[in-house]
Amino acid sequence: MPPKSFNVGKERLIDDEEEPLQAVILADSFNKRFKPLTTSKPRCLLPICNAPLLDWTFESLSLAGVQEIFVICRSHADLVRAAIRESKWSKPSSGLKIVPILTAKETFSPGDAMRDIYTRGLITTDFILVNGDLVSNVRIDEVVKVHRERRKTNKDAIMTMVVKESGAKHRTRSRGDSAVFVLDAESSECLHYEPVTGYPPKTQVGIPREILAEHPEVEIRNDLMDCSIDVCSVEVPSLFQDNFDWLDLRRDFVHGVLTSDLLMNTIHCYVVKEGYAARVKDTKSYDSISKDILARWTFPLVPDDNHPGGHAYEHLRGNRYIAKDNTVVLSRTCKIGNNTLIGSSTHVFDNAQVISSVLGQKCKIGVNTVIRNSYIFDGTTIGANCVVENSIIGAKVHIKDKSRIERGCLVADGVVVGPEAKLRPFERVSKRRDTEVGDDDEDEESEEEEETEGDDQEEDDEDDEDESEDEDDEDSDSELEEAEANQAAIGATLGEDTNAIAWPLKSTEGEDSDADEMETFDNQRLMRMGDSASDLELTDPGSITSSEVDSDSDEEDGFMVSRTRRASASATSLPLTTPSTELLVPPLASAMEKEFQSEVSQSLERAFAEGHSVDNAAVELKTLRMSTNVPLRRVREAVIAAIVEQIPIVEGNMAQQRKEIANVVDRWGELIDRIGGVDAVETVSILQTHCASSQRLPLFGQVLAALYQNDLVEEDDIREWHRQPASRGEGMKPGTFSENMEKCWAVGTRMIQQFDEQEESEESGEESEEGED
């Protein structure tokens, strides 16, 4: 269970004589991972749990006692300024002075933004640097204190990066963008930084030998999640000014400072032990962080207390949050599942289901519609008999009756689709350009309002804004033109009454040989919502031979950290991904056990009854597992039990019984592996345990044969299971269960004998053919 309290305060670490604590927020994301949701607004204004991301960032900085914040933005600067002006942070009582700064039109990267900060002379003291998509309850003020104390004795320490320990498969840790940190064990100085992409998988990290020679004890860390919170000295922007090829804060700036022979600066890491911090870098992290907020890991920043958007929610059992203003209308026959948030003035009609999802304000969910693991923005209407799975639906969208939105879809603001629209997995949909005339008028009106209210920006800034907005429009128009021209090839089913166009399923951005490997399509798959990327070879220890490792490790300029371990290696090897093996599964608390079993049972019953796809069923089970934090084996046990119990019993007709088993295993057997962590030996063991403890004991051999026929288990897996002492019932108390376990093992014995006989038959056949020749 997440922590219920967190020691937070707004203590200031600065004396009255010192300058106010400053922070810089980079409001631009400098990538297109949320397109087309961000064609009409910046990512920092997208809502997460019904509050703009920028407000979550302001709240995080307010907890640290920050007094002055510079918001650096290029695209949609007028929207950012308007959002700040209309928020609670613009009031004098907020204690914050927020200054929106429009950067030059040539700002295309964080490095460009830092150079612009230096040119303007905004920074006068140590400052906090974050992005406009940060959600955090970490005591950043403690990091500032440590940084300042270090600076008193070491003026070369120019930056402190905030990192947090996390498992290799932590849901908020990006699989496509991580890093290896080499730290001095005593001072936490970052000695080496190596970015790691998820695909193609990086198997080795090179560490300069001089690091090992100069530092008697180092830590090589692949378990640190970068929180993207930096405490910087006033010299940091000037270093960007001197190095115009530095674009990225980590891969260019940090790596450049640590490897430079001219710069004598140092960078340190602050490893957070308590608290929560993560960036909404992509749609997958958007989903993960939303679930963490609903599960209260971000306390005190939770929907029912300190909600950054100023909304009031009632917290109900199962982490259900309902707006407190009595404007939410829930039909008596609708179902609101766990980990769900419903905004004010929203209406959920008869027999509708909203499960692990967030509904914005003034939404309407039609009769018999299912919303599962999805995020619906304000003012959206979803008709009757629709299904929305693992998707993000923008504001004022209208999805008409009998439409289906598959996993990973992004639907931009104002889109109308249906009736009977069918969006394929990962479809991206936006409005046609000829339906967006009204948006331009609204922009002009907002600009006129800003002129009448008075704007502190200089005339040259206004000119830059017009030029940068025009450039944004040209960029969006070119993408829309390409999408419009290829509608026939894309072949999306958007319904008759639609104003939408579908974007290509596979983006061509980043596919050039010289492009950033972080932005390639396959690597981006690891960062998009609803994509398990199970078909990508992410771990392949055999891809590097021992001879290659030997030759690499003999290089004089560095020390190689490799995923492949040599049997007689003299140097330490470090795997870049931590295997998740659960040899012992602790018993769950009874209440959690019952709730989890009930949720899984209901999920599988729906999947069987409604004929869901295996992918959709797997996504729901993965979500249930994450929300309850149970071991993967528990989910596999539930899936195998449900599949076995789904098989009808046929008395006195073995041929018909085998046919029934084949039908069920052919349809649902793949679900066993789709839930993650493929382990065929464990699958056989769980099947044996279930059959031995139920009325399905006679089906064990036939079900195992069906799994074998469907390539879900191999001959080697059956042999490995058969060799285990537990499979024979060793160490168990005498009784019916142990006897049934032995019966199943005996069935396995006969199957292995058949394998052996078949191999002998094939060998004798080959010998006879050779003799005839």
Side-chain angles (χ1 to χ4, degrees):
M1 188 68 184
K4 291 294 185 182
S5 63
F6 193 81
N7 184 20
V8 208
K10 296 188 178 181
E11 304 171 6
R12 294 177 182 171
L13 297 172
I14 58 176
D15 298 329
D16 294 337
E17 298 178 356
E18 294 184 4
E19 296 186 28
L21 180 57
Q22 296 178 317
V24 171
I25 298 177
L26 302 182
D28 291 294
S29 60
F30 304 108
N31 60 56
K32 302 179 180 180
R33 295 172 190 171
F34 278 82
K35 283 285 184 89
L37 289 168
T38 53
T39 52
S40 60
K41 68 175 66 171
R43 181 190 301 178
C44 65
L45 295 185
L46 292 179
I48 186 167
C49 291
N50 290 349
L53 275 167
L54 193 57
D55 281 350
W56 290 92
T57 306
F58 288 151
E59 194 74 59
S60 301
L61 295 175
S62 177
L63 295 175
V66 171
Q67 294 172 282
E68 189 173 30
I69 299 177
F70 298 104
V71 180
I72 311 299
C73 54
R74 170 185 173 270
S75 61
H76 305 291
D78 56 333
L79 297 179
V80 174
R81 283 205 300 266
I84 295 173
R85 186 171 57 247
E86 296 168 3
S87 71
K88 67 178 183 180
W89 307 106
S90 63
K91 300 177 181 178
S93 59
S94 69
L96 291 178
K97 179 184 177 182
I98 300 177
V99 183
I101 303 294
L102 175 68
T103 63
K105 65 178 181 179
E106 296 84 7
T107 303
F108 298 110
S109 70
D112 294 334
M114 296 299 289
R115 282 182 276 275
D116 198 65
I117 291 171
Y118 174 79
T119 302
R120 294 173 182 266
L122 299 175
I123 301 302
T124 59
T125 182
D126 294 343
F127 66 99
I128 300 170
L129 178 64
V130 297
N131 291 83
D133 48 22
L134 173 71
V135 177
S136 169
N137 64 11
V138 168
R139 292 294 301 268
I140 308 176
D141 50 357
E142 297 290 346
V143 187
V144 174
K145 181 179 180 180
V146 171
H147 176 79
R148 286 178 170 173
E149 289 296 323
R150 183 183 296 119
R151 289 272 293 170
K152 291 178 180 179
T153 57
N154 180 12
K155 292 299 182 182
D156 294 329
I158 59 171
M159 188 167 80
T160 301
M161 300 184 290
V162 178
V163 294
K164 193 176 191 306
E165 293 180 351
S166 70
K169 296 184 179 180
H170 193 282
R171 68 182 177 191
T172 55
R173 181 177 181 179
S174 176
R175 295 166 61 197
D177 182 7
S178 60
V180 171
F181 294 84
V182 181
L183 308 179
D184 184 281
E186 183 177 352
S187 65
S188 294
E189 178 185 346
C190 185
L191 306 174
H192 184 73
Y193 173 88
E194 189 83 9
V196 177
T197 56
Y199 192 87
K202 192 165 188 175
T203 57
Q204 299 183 61
V205 173
I207 302 174
R209 288 184 181 273
E210 55 266 23
I211 289 178
L212 302 179
E214 297 172 2
H215 298 269
E217 187 176 353
V218 299
E219 295 179 350
I220 303 174
R221 304 291 297 269
N222 187 37
D223 63 336
L224 297 178
M225 183 171 66
D226 191 347
C227 300
S228 297
I229 302 172
D230 301 324
V231 179
C232 306
S233 70
V234 71
E235 295 94 344
V236 168
S238 64
L239 293 176
F240 280 92
Q241 183 70 13
D242 296 336
N243 296 272
F244 273 84
D245 58 337
W246 286 356
L247 304 178
D248 187 82
L249 291 173
R250 292 291 183 265
R251 286 173 286 158
D252 294 327
F253 174 71
V254 172
H255 188 268
V257 169
L258 298 183
T259 57
S260 173
D261 294 330
L262 300 177
L263 299 175
M264 303 303 293
N265 305 117
T266 61
I267 296 175
H268 291 72
C269 286
Y270 183 95
V271 182
V272 174
K273 302 298 183 182
E274 295 181 345
Y276 181 93
R279 268 192 66 199
V280 180
K281 292 182 176 181
D282 43 60
T283 56
K284 185 180 285 290
S285 60
Y286 179 94
D287 177 46
S288 300
I289 294 172
S290 296
K291 286 180 169 54
D292 288 343
I293 294 172
L294 296 176
R296 310 181 69 78
W297 289 108
T298 58
F299 191 90
L301 304 183
V302 289
D304 60 310
D305 185 20
N306 289 318
H307 187 269
H311 305 165
Y313 292 93
E314 182 181 4
H315 180 211
L316 304 176
R317 184 178 178 273
N319 289 330
R320 299 177 178 91
Y321 302 88
I322 310 296
K324 271 187 175 180
D325 56 4
N326 295 321
T327 59
V328 175
V329 180
L330 303 178
S331 168
R332 288 188 301 171
T333 57
C334 74
K335 177 184 177 181
I336 307 300
N338 294 343
N339 300 304
T340 296
L341 184 146
I342 300 180
S344 62
S345 302
T346 288
H347 193 163
V348 181
F349 289 87
D350 294 343
N351 297 316
Q353 300 181 37
V354 182
I355 303 167
S356 295
S357 300
V358 174
L359 304 184
Q361 301 182 78
K362 300 179 181 179
C363 294
K364 294 182 180 179
I365 309 301
V367 175
N368 295 321
T369 286
V370 178
I371 310 294
R372 191 177 292 118
N373 299 309
S374 297
Y375 305 91
I376 316 298
F377 295 173
D378 292 349
T380 287
T381 298
I382 300 178
N385 299 296
C386 296
V387 176
V388 181
E389 300 262 9
N390 267 85
S391 297
I392 303 176
I393 311 298
K396 298 180 181 179
V397 171
H398 189 183
I399 299 174
K400 297 188 176 181
D401 297 351
K402 298 181 180 179
S403 296
R404 186 175 187 91
I405 313 298
E406 296 285 357
R407 72 186 191 281
C409 289
L410 302 180
V411 181
D413 294 352
V415 165
V416 178
V417 295
E420 300 184 9
K422 289 181 173 57
L423 270 61
R424 296 165 295 180
F426 312 110
E427 197 99 68
R428 296 178 297 156
V429 177
S430 64
K431 289 198 301 184
R432 289 192 295 266
R433 285 178 298 167
D434 56 7
T435 65
E436 297 180 350
V437 177
D439 294 344
D440 297 332
D441 296 338
E442 292 177 5
D443 291 341
E444 292 176 3
E445 293 177 3
S446 65
E447 289 175 5
E448 292 176 359
E449 291 176 2
E450 290 176 12
E451 291 175 2
T452 59
E453 293 178 3
D455 194 343
D456 294 334
Q457 294 294 327
E458 299 177 356
E459 292 182 0
D460 57 342
D461 286 345
E462 293 176 355
D463 294 338
D464 287 343
E465 177 184 347
D466 293 337
E467 293 177 2
S468 64
E469 292 292 346
D470 291 341
E471 191 167 333
D472 288 337
D473 292 340
E474 291 176 3
D475 184 46
S476 298
D477 285 345
S478 64
E479 292 176 297
L480 288 170
E481 284 178 4
E482 182 182 357
E484 287 175 347
N486 291 283
Q487 286 303 289
I490 293 173
T493 307
L494 302 178
E496 297 179 357
D497 304 328
T498 183
N499 65 351
I501 61 169
W503 294 38
L505 289 177
K506 181 175 182 178
S507 172
T508 57
E509 182 183 354
E511 295 304 303
D512 298 334
S513 58
D514 297 332
D516 185 357
E517 62 180 1
M518 202 69 67
E519 301 300 323
T520 61
F521 176 74
D522 284 334
N523 194 60
Q524 288 296 307
R525 285 188 57 193
L526 302 174
M527 306 183 195
R528 65 181 183 178
M529 180 177 173
D531 194 345
S532 64
S534 58
D535 57 316
L536 296 181
E537 293 291 337
L538 299 179
T539 54
D540 184 13
S543 62
I544 299 179
T545 64
S546 59
S547 60
E548 291 172 329
V549 176
D550 287 336
S551 61
D552 288 336
S553 62
D554 290 336
E555 295 179 1
E556 294 183 358
D557 59 345
F559 166 73
M560 304 306 296
V561 177
S562 170
R563 177 179 287 120
T564 305
R565 182 184 296 273
R566 288 172 289 158
S568 58
S570 58
T572 304
S573 293
L574 177 72
L576 294 188
T577 51
T578 304
S580 178
T581 55
E582 296 165 342
L583 300 179
L584 297 176
V585 180
L588 300 174
S590 58
M592 184 185 298
E593 177 90 33
K594 290 178 181 178
E595 182 177 354
F596 170 72
Q597 289 177 348
S598 174
E599 291 285 350
V600 170
S601 177
Q602 293 176 23
S603 174
L604 292 172
E605 286 175 5
R606 282 195 306 272
F608 294 150
E610 299 173 9
H612 294 178
S613 68
V614 170
D615 284 339
N616 288 345
V619 167
E620 182 164 352
L621 292 174
K622 289 177 181 178
T623 304
L624 285 174
R625 181 198 168 209
M626 288 188 294
S627 64
T628 52
N629 196 29
V630 301
L632 180 59
R633 182 184 175 95
R634 299 293 192 202
V635 187
R636 184 172 284 110
E637 289 172 349
V639 170
I640 293 173
I643 291 175
V644 173
E645 295 299 322
Q646 184 72 9
I647 299 170
I649 299 295
V650 180
E651 299 289 346
N653 190 335
M654 294 297 294
Q656 184 62 29
Q657 182 67 79
R658 284 194 293 270
K659 184 176 180 181
E660 295 290 350
I661 292 173
N663 290 339
V664 173
V665 174
D666 290 349
R667 175 66 175 86
W668 295 105
E670 194 177 359
L671 182 60
I672 299 171
D673 289 347
R674 287 294 182 91
I675 59 176
V678 178
D679 189 338
V681 177
E682 185 179 77
T683 295
V684 181
S685 177
I686 293 172
L687 174 65
Q688 177 193 23
T689 302
H690 179 75
C691 290
S693 58
S694 70
Q695 300 298 319
R696 306 286 167 144
L697 178 64
L699 302 183
F700 172 78
Q702 297 175 48
V703 173
L704 182 57
L707 295 176
Y708 174 75
Q709 292 296 331
N710 283 269
D711 296 325
L712 297 171
V713 299
E714 303 290 344
E715 177 182 336
D716 290 342
D717 302 321
I718 297 174
R719 292 181 183 275
E720 177 62 25
W721 158 78
H722 191 262
R723 284 193 293 267
Q724 294 179 355
S727 302
R728 297 193 294 269
E730 289 186 8
M732 297 181 183
K733 294 181 179 180
T736 303
F737 178 75
S738 62
E739 292 175 359
N740 290 344
M741 291 286 285
E742 292 179 15
K743 291 178 181 178
C744 292
W745 185 81
V747 171
T749 301
R750 291 194 293 271
M751 185 174 289
I752 291 174
Q753 290 173 349
Q754 293 175 0
F755 290 147
D756 295 336
E757 292 172 358
Q758 183 176 0
E759 290 175 1
E760 292 175 359
S761 175
E762 291 174 354
E763 290 175 358
S764 62
E766 292 174 357
E767 291 176 357
S768 62
E769 289 177 1
E770 291 175 358
E772 291 174 0
D773 293 338

